[in-house]
Amino acid sequence: MDNLDLSVLRTAASWRAEARGVVLGTITRTWGSAPRPVGSLVAVRDDGLIAGSVSGGCIEDDLIAQLRAGSLTLARPTPLRYGVGAEEARRFGLPCGGTLELMLEPLGPQSGVDDLLARLTRGERVRRTLALATGTVTLADAAPGADTLVLTDTQLVSHHGPQWRLLVIGAGQMTDYLAQMALALGYGVTVCDPREEYADGFALAGVALTRDMPDDVVTAFKPDGATAIVALTHDPKLDDLALMEALKGAAFYVGAIGSRANQAKRKARLAEHFDLSAEQLDRLHGPVGLDIGARTPPEIALSILAEMTAVRYRAGGAKAEAGCAV
């Protein structure tokens, strides 16, 4: 399951393969309230078909109208701004008086979309540099923690691929749902399970599998503030190995499946045998996930991703402006 912007790139590439004209729009700046963040993508085909979104629909409608009128026949990347005045803000779905700027880019062989997709399919994080004067693109490995997008007078530098990482301990049925949902949310996903009876049957496109022991995997993973670790095996010998390392690190989220009673026993084991402090144990989310009454594997996976999302935005200090929720 692709995230939204990867889906836009795949669709744009398929249109190009059909010899259709395609304009790719990238949000480069926002002021005030905006429905989508900087770096979000939209693609418009030469007949008005659209993929992705940058607003609630009004800006997309305007892009389609401009394309059909012939005003989006571009020779090189061109900026376009919406919502400068209050009337325009209301018209283009920016109810808080926000402003949104797009870089519109006519796609061609010089755009490097196929090469970008090949690297993203391999789970890489990629820096894409667009020369504004020519539309020529160069691709390179993205440095850890690099800004999502940087715009100058001469180039647009955007970063693509997973900015967040999820390590799941256990390759059971629930992991299938959790991994697919996490991919759609832009996570790079790795699954760890040394048990042959589980690992042998696990295969998900875009998800890495390792059969090493969980403590070694967590250590090699080098968890940082963009990392989540979730233990799902129900086997203390595996889950505890992962948690004893994960709770010492900088992961923004560490969770483990199990009842409240089992969580209490787990914390006692981790404190007694692995010398984890009370502060470290307080970082453990368990029972894992938000309490939404989940019972089935996909419902539990949904609750886990919901809690991870809430913790992630609190950790990053992000919050919606009052009255500007979209």
Side-chain angles (χ1 to χ4, degrees):
M1 185 186 298
D2 292 336
N3 64 60
L4 179 57
D5 290 336
L6 180 54
S7 177
V8 171
L9 290 171
R10 289 195 192 282
T11 301
S14 70
W15 288 343
R16 284 284 306 155
E18 298 168 359
R20 305 301 297 258
V22 183
V23 172
L24 182 69
T26 304
I27 297 180
T28 56
R29 292 177 177 140
T30 62
W31 295 263
S33 174
R36 304 263 349 259
V38 166
S40 298
L41 302 177
V42 64
V44 188
R45 201 169 72 177
D46 52 16
D47 59 353
L49 198 60
I50 199 158
S53 69
V54 292
S55 77
C58 297
I59 289 177
E60 288 83 354
D61 290 345
D62 185 72
L63 288 173
I64 293 169
Q66 289 197 53
L67 186 143
R68 288 175 173 168
S71 57
L72 287 188
T73 304
L74 308 175
R76 61 187 180 88
T78 303
L80 186 63
R81 182 178 293 187
Y82 288 96
V84 174
E87 183 176 345
E88 285 181 296
R90 287 191 295 271
R91 175 188 172 195
F92 294 117
L94 300 170
C96 299
T99 301
L100 182 150
E101 186 175 275
L102 294 171
M103 184 63 67
L104 299 180
E105 172 191 353
L107 295 184
Q110 79 287 351
S111 303
V113 173
D114 290 336
D115 290 343
L116 175 60
L117 280 171
R119 296 182 67 162
L120 294 178
T121 300
R122 294 194 295 268
E124 299 177 22
R125 184 157 171 79
V126 184
R127 183 176 74 246
R128 182 177 188 261
T129 302
L130 170 68
L132 300 183
T134 63
T136 302
V137 166
T138 56
L139 302 178
D141 294 338
D147 291 338
T148 300
L149 184 143
V150 177
L151 176 65
T152 70
D153 292 338
T154 60
Q155 63 184 21
L156 173 63
V157 180
S158 55
H159 292 83
H160 304 266
Q163 184 178 5
W164 300 87
R165 299 186 299 162
L166 170 62
L167 173 61
V168 184
I169 311 302
Q173 184 184 40
M174 191 183 305
T175 298
D176 287 355
Y177 294 103
L178 181 62
Q180 291 180 72
M181 292 180 191
L183 289 174
L185 293 178
Y187 285 86
V189 182
T190 299
V191 173
C192 165
D193 203 323
R195 303 170 299 179
E196 292 183 1
E197 61 271 26
Y198 287 91
D200 286 352
F202 184 86
L204 280 178
V207 176
L209 173 69
T210 174
R211 298 168 182 258
D212 294 335
M213 294 302 293
D215 52 339
D216 294 332
V217 172
V218 173
T219 301
F221 212 68
K222 297 180 180 178
D224 56 17
T227 304
I229 300 172
V230 180
L232 297 179
T233 71
H234 280 295
D235 184 343
K237 295 189 297 297
L238 297 178
D239 287 348
D240 288 5
L241 285 175
L243 295 172
M244 74 177 188
E245 297 298 336
L247 292 170
K248 298 174 186 176
F252 78 88
Y253 181 92
V254 180
I257 199 166
S259 67
R260 294 186 186 279
N262 284 335
Q263 295 293 344
K265 294 176 183 177
R266 172 180 287 122
K267 287 185 176 183
R269 288 194 306 270
L270 291 171
E272 179 180 358
H273 300 295
F274 302 112
D275 296 323
L276 266 66
S277 68
E279 183 179 1
Q280 290 170 329
L281 292 171
D282 283 344
R283 298 184 58 228
L284 179 61
H285 292 269
V288 70
L290 294 181
D291 184 3
I292 60 173
R295 296 183 179 181
T296 66
E299 290 172 348
I300 296 170
L302 175 64
S303 76
I304 295 171
L305 263 299
E307 186 174 51
M308 283 171 50
T309 301
V311 172
R312 187 178 99 184
Y313 282 116
R314 286 199 299 270
K319 60 181 180 180
E321 292 184 36
C324 298
V326 177

